[in-house]
Amino acid sequence: MALFVLFGNPVSHSKSPLMHNLAFAGLGFDHCYTRYLLEDGTKLREKFLSLGLAGINITVPHKEHAYNACDELDEFARKVGVVNTIVLRDGKLHGFNTDATGFLKVVQGFGEKKSILFLGAGGTAKSTSAILRDHGYSVTILNRSAARLESYREDGFECATFEEFIPREFDLVINMTSAGLEDDSLPAPLELLEEVVPTAEACIDVIYKETPFLKLAKEHGKPTKDGSDMLLYQGIIAFEHFTNYRYSFDEIYPHMKRAFEI
Ligand code: NDP
């Protein structure tokens, strides 16, 4: 039996243990996945080894510490400097970023939509904007404050604050902020959203519930998707790494999906 853990602070709300344990049980693995409240991210590597873990997921606020804890990194994780999945192989910690690959799959589910407006410029936007650009999408980043946009500008993304933004048509408008997670706020001023939502083909949110942003999109008759599939897909891709690619994405999918139906 191998032990897998989610490291984060907080971790009590997470669906990941249920997702992975359902897939382990459903696919015949004698493994167990649990959560671990890690307060000091600099202790991540030490904890991983002292607990005798086979693999971990990492959530807020330790994804950059996880990057620093690894011996080996996959190419994309190395590029973005953020890791949410680590697997022990031959005594070494191998790091991956499955948030971004999972999100790419969500966006690809909308077909050939090439121009994307990101509302928000935090950590999740960082890795997902990079992977989308690598796959030929054009991503514009809109953010409330100017400070966070600097690194995106240096990376060559088109960026604007709410004040600077000149509205135009985008295929997809995506809420990458935490607005609507624990309050009723919109990710950008209503007047601005009323310029970009009606002309979009669809709207996506990374938060896994119906946010005020998704409600607005529905009022305009737009197809929408909340953050559940992003969470599910990153979990399936992490599971592929945990179990050494024995089962395909499509084989893991029905088992892990049950966590969203219980
Ligand atoms: P960060 O703290 O790194 O960044 C937050 C971003 O949201 C910043 O751009 C911030 O703007 C903006 N923001 C916050 N509140 C508001 C507001 N009221 N109005 C406008 N902008 C606001 O967060 P993360 O990138 O780590 O996470 C973002 C979201 O993604 C969270 O809701 C998280 O739950 C979700 N998430 C979902 C996942 C999934 O699997 N579905 C996986 C990972 C994250 P400013 O710079 O001005 O402060």
Side-chain angles (χ1 to χ4, degrees):
M1 190 195 97
L3 182 61
F4 296 83
V5 155
L6 172 69
F7 278 153
N9 184 11
V11 280
S12 57
H13 63 288
S14 174
K15 251 192 203 316
S16 290
L18 183 60
M19 287 162 54
H20 285 275
N21 286 328
L22 283 169
F24 284 145
L27 292 167
F29 289 96
D30 190 17
H31 297 336
C32 181
Y33 187 115
T34 188
R35 44 174 78 88
Y36 188 98
L37 179 71
L38 183 72
E39 287 176 351
D40 182 357
T42 63
K43 299 270 189 319
L44 191 142
R45 184 184 171 91
E46 188 186 315
K47 277 286 166 206
F48 186 113
L49 297 171
S50 67
L51 292 170
L53 304 175
I56 57 171
N57 285 130
I58 306 94
T59 187
V60 176
H62 299 318
K63 292 183 190 181
E64 282 164 14
H65 285 124
Y67 170 86
N68 291 323
C70 291
D71 301 302
E72 307 279 347
L73 291 158
D74 97 318
E75 198 185 322
F76 181 74
R78 181 186 309 280
K79 181 169 140 182
V80 292
V82 181
V83 161
N84 79 317
T85 300
I86 298 179
V87 183
L88 185 69
R89 274 194 208 127
D90 303 325
K92 288 184 173 172
L93 272 61
H94 291 251
F96 306 89
N97 186 311
T98 74
D99 283 333
T101 41
F103 189 69
L104 173 66
K105 205 168 165 60
V106 170
V107 171
Q108 287 171 332
F110 283 87
E112 289 297 303
K113 314 263 180 272
K114 288 297 180 190
S115 68
I116 297 181
L117 180 65
F118 265 27
L119 308 169
T124 309
K126 190 97 191 149
S127 59
T128 51
S129 58
I131 204 162
L132 288 170
R133 184 165 69 177
D134 286 354
H135 286 78
Y137 294 87
S138 152
V139 185
T140 299
I141 319 275
L142 185 57
N143 198 50
R144 177 176 63 180
S145 67
R148 284 204 212 235
L149 291 173
E150 273 171 36
S151 67
Y152 290 87
R153 281 209 172 94
E154 282 164 17
D155 284 346
F157 284 97
E158 188 187 343
C159 298
T161 58
F162 298 157
E163 293 73 28
E164 295 161 347
F165 183 62
I166 300 168
R168 61 169 204 272
E169 206 171 310
F170 294 91
D171 294 334
L172 298 175
V173 180
I174 305 181
N175 177 24
M176 281 285 162
T177 75
S178 40
L181 182 64
E182 280 166 349
D183 56 29
D184 284 336
S185 63
L186 286 163
L190 180 62
E191 318 78 77
L192 192 156
L193 295 174
E194 292 285 5
E195 298 269 10
V196 290
V197 169
T199 53
E201 291 188 23
C203 294
I204 301 175
D205 207 307
V206 286
I207 296 172
Y208 38 98
K209 66 176 190 183
E210 190 180 72
T211 58
F213 170 68
L214 289 187
K215 277 190 193 136
L216 179 74
K218 283 182 184 165
E219 281 163 24
H220 285 280
K222 300 296 164 186
T224 60
K225 189 166 277 290
D226 72 16
S228 305
D229 280 356
M230 178 184 183
L231 180 66
L232 175 62
Y233 294 175
Q234 66 73 30
I236 295 174
I237 300 164
F239 189 93
E240 291 180 294
H241 294 306
F242 289 161
T243 54
N244 217 4
Y245 322 105
R246 193 184 312 168
Y247 292 98
S248 68
F249 187 99
D250 291 344
E251 287 168 322
I252 301 162
Y253 179 91
H255 299 284
M256 218 175 248
K257 172 86 178 153
R258 284 186 56 218
F260 294 81
E261 292 153 3
I262 288 172

